[in-house]
Amino acid sequence: MNRYLTILAGILILVILAGCGGGVQQASPRRDVAGVSGPSRGGTAEPAAKATAEEFNYQGWQAVRLQNGLVTLVAVPEIGGRIMEYKLAGHPLLWVNPNELGKRYTPDEMADGSPYPDFGGYRTVPVPLDESAMPADEVSSLDAGRWTHEILTARGRRAEVQMTSPPDAVTGLRITRTITIYAGTTNVRITEKITNISDVAVEYSIGHTSQVIGSLAADATFSPESRIYFPLNEDSKHKRRFTYINESGIEQF
C-alpha cells in the first residue's frame, strides 16, 4: 500500500447483532443507554449554536464527548480509539456490550487463548490480504490497544478530536482518526489516515465496522422490522449508482 492512505469513513460496514435487543412493539418505550448526558426524552432538541468536545469518564474509561444539542458522540481512546456511542436526541444507535464496560486488555492478555473482547461501537480493522503473513501468536494493538488523543477544537461551529494508535509491530501500521461534528446538523465526519511505519511494503484491506442495535424494544432479541438505509452515490460510475459482486468477485449490473 502507499505509505499514506487516507480514508474518509462514514459508516461503511454495519453489523446487526442478533441478541442485542429485539422484537417490535409499535408503542414500545424508547431504549436509553446510561453513560451519556444530554437530552433523552421529549423529542428532538433544538440545535445548539455551538458544538463542543470535552473529556469525561464514560463507564470507567477516559473518553471524549462531542455534542451539539442534536447528537452526542462518545470516543474512547483506551480501547482502540472506538466510537462507542452515537445518540440522536438521546436515542442510542450503536450497540454497546454491557459485559465489557470499563474493561481494558493488553495484547498479551488477548493472545492467551481467551475469547476476543467485543466492546461494540465503531472500529477500523486492517485485514491482511495474505493471512499467513500475520503471526499466529501475536495480537495487534490497533483494535483494543490504548490510543492517545487530543481535542483539536473544543467549541465553536465545529468540535473535533483526534485519536492516534500506538505504532503496531504486528501489522506495521499506525492509524490516526479525526472525528468532527458541526453545529446544527447530525452529520459526523470521520477521517482516518493509515500510515505504514514499517520498512517494507504491506498490503491490507481496511474494514470499517459499526455494531448497531438490531431491535426496536429493550426486552426482546431481534426486530425483523429494523432497517438500515445507505444513500446512493450520486457520482457513482455504475448505471444504477450501485453494483452487485458475486462470490467470484465479478461485478453484476
Side-chain angles (χ1 to χ4, degrees), residues 66-90:
L66 300 97
Q67 54 190 352
N68 63 6
L70 289 174
V71 296
T72 300
L73 184 147
V74 174
V76 185
E78 290 190 284
I79 51 171
R82 279 172 167 76
I83 297 174
M84 289 299 289
E85 290 202 3
Y86 174 80
K87 284 188 173 183
L88 175 61

Side-chain angles (χ1 to χ4, degrees), residues 144-225:
R146 297 190 180 189
W147 294 27
T148 59
H149 74 279
E150 178 184 4
I151 295 177
L152 302 179
T153 307
R155 63 181 58 248
R157 293 298 300 168
R158 68 178 183 181
E160 194 169 41
V161 62
Q162 184 175 89
M163 298 184 289
T164 303
S165 75
D168 184 51
V170 177
T171 62
L173 302 178
R174 176 190 285 121
I175 299 176
T176 301
R177 175 174 298 131
T178 304
I179 305 167
T180 308
I181 70 169
Y182 305 88
T185 177
T186 60
N187 291 344
V188 175
R189 180 183 179 92
I190 303 171
T191 304
E192 294 176 345
K193 181 172 74 175
I194 292 89
T195 305
N196 180 4
I197 59 168
S198 71
D199 297 326
V200 298
V202 294
E203 293 183 327
Y204 288 89
S205 173
I206 307 300
H208 306 270
T209 301
S210 294
Q211 294 174 263
V212 302
I213 299 171
S215 66
L216 302 179
D219 56 352
T221 58
F222 176 70
S223 298
E225 290 85 352

Side-chain angles (χ1 to χ4, degrees), residues 2 6 8 10 63 100 103-104 117-118 129 147 155 206 211:
N2 294 332
T6 299
L8 300 180
E100 296 290 346
K103 295 182 180 180
R104 302 168 182 83
D118 181 11
L129 300 184
W147 294 27
R155 63 181 58 248
I206 307 300
Q211 294 174 263

Side-chain angles (χ1 to χ4, degrees), residues 102-149:
K103 295 182 180 180
R104 302 168 182 83
Y105 299 91
T106 66
D108 289 341
E109 288 172 332
M110 292 188 293
D112 68 358
S114 301
Y116 198 82
D118 181 11
F119 296 104
Y122 165 85
R123 63 191 178 117
T124 298
V125 181
V127 181
L129 300 184
D130 180 9
E131 295 189 3
S132 64
M134 291 283 287
D137 57 347
E138 297 185 39
V139 176
S140 168
S141 63
L142 298 178
D143 192 30
R146 297 190 180 189
W147 294 27
T148 59
H149 74 279

Side-chain angles (χ1 to χ4, degrees), residues 18-39:
C20 298
V24 172
Q25 289 93 28
Q26 290 297 327
S28 61
R30 175 179 299 173
R31 182 177 182 228
D32 202 9
V33 176
V36 174
S37 62

